[in-house]
Amino acid sequence: MENIITPSQLIINHANNGNKATLKIGSKFQWDPKYTSKETPSFDSFKNEVDSFYEYKVVFGYEGAVGQSIYMVTSVK
């Protein structure tokens, strides 16, 4: 099974790494409202975070879906 990082984990990893990208090309991360917290209060907030570090594409679900969407990193900025 693949390791797919949750929104809170990704933001915490960025903060712990000096606000630098922590994922590599081909890594997958997800957006699911059940993983929202004070660190990721909305899809827009999460999208702003990942847009700062990565180019990515949806590989499961669709952009802004209610429920789980899985994204794959295609480029690191």
Side-chain angles (χ1 to χ4, degrees):
M1 185 172 166
E2 290 182 81
N3 184 21
I4 301 173
I5 195 164
T6 64
S8 293
Q9 289 171 322
L10 183 58
I11 290 172
I12 290 167
N13 288 354
H14 288 159
N16 289 340
N17 196 37
N19 272 340
K20 295 179 184 168
T22 58
L23 298 178
K24 295 178 171 48
I25 294 172
S27 297
K28 293 181 181 172
F29 60 92
Q30 65 186 6
W31 166 256
D32 189 325
K34 74 180 180 181
Y35 292 116
T36 59
S37 66
K38 65 182 179 180
E39 291 85 15
T40 54
S42 69
F43 176 72
D44 291 334
S45 174
F46 178 63
K47 191 164 170 39
N48 286 339
E49 174 78 11
V50 297
D51 283 346
S52 299
F53 298 101
Y54 311 105
E55 296 289 330
Y56 52 91
K57 66 180 182 179
V58 177
V59 293
F60 178 83
Y62 58 92
E63 186 79 24
V66 174
Q68 188 181 60
S69 295
I70 298 176
Y71 301 85
M72 184 174 68
V73 175
T74 58
S75 173
V76 178
K77 295 181 180 178

